[in-house]
Each structure stands twice: as structure tokens, then as C-alpha cells.
Amino acid sequence: MDNNELLEKDLKEEKRLFEEILQLSAQQVALFNPNQNNTDELLHNFNELLARRQTLMECVDDIEKRWDWQSESARAIRAYLTK
């Protein structure tokens, strides 16, 4: 694979990771139901979602470290993929 193909692959993976992070955020909001009586369970579930989010963000960070996002080709490919 050449650099452009690798970059495109990483950007697609990064997009997937951000979509999963967005889903986790929605799950976190849904946990805070006004009828929630079990605070311990709520905190446990919330902390599990936070841990999963942290893992996903570390994956995004790893991708970001591999590339110089200021380069012209990186910006062009990112713009293309985010349409």
C-alpha cells in the first residue's frame, strides 16, 4: 500500500472510532433517567462507558500520531472522507 492508501484506511478507521464514541455518548446520556433509583449501578455503567470511550480515544490518538495532519494531501483526503 502506498501512503495515500494507508492514510485513507486510517481516516476511515478514525471516522468509525468517532462514530462509536458518539454512540457511547448517547448511551451515557440515556443512563441518566429521572426514574433511576440505583445510583451504584448507574455509576458502574457510566464508568464502563467512560473506560470504553477512553480506549477509543487512545486509538484515535495512535492514528493521529502516525500522520502529519497539516500536510496538503492529508487535508485533501480528510475533506473527501468527511463529505
Side-chain angles (χ1 to χ4, degrees), residues 33-45:
N33 178 338
N35 299 323
Q36 176 65 262
N37 294 327
N38 190 340
T39 305
D40 290 338
E41 182 181 349
L42 178 129
L43 289 175
H44 173 76
N45 292 338

Side-chain angles (χ1 to χ4, degrees), residues 29-76:
V29 170
L31 282 176
F32 292 96
N33 178 338
N35 299 323
Q36 176 65 262
N37 294 327
N38 190 340
T39 305
D40 290 338
E41 182 181 349
L42 178 129
L43 289 175
H44 173 76
N45 292 338
F46 188 76
N47 285 329
E48 282 185 352
L49 292 172
L50 281 178
R52 177 68 182 139
R53 183 185 185 282
Q54 181 62 38
T55 299
L56 294 171
M57 287 306 301
E58 289 169 5
C59 293
V60 169
D61 288 345
D62 289 344
I63 292 171
E64 293 285 327
K65 288 175 189 173
R66 283 198 289 269
W67 299 98
D68 173 12
W69 295 117
Q70 300 307 308
S71 74
E72 189 63 36
S73 63
R75 284 195 309 262

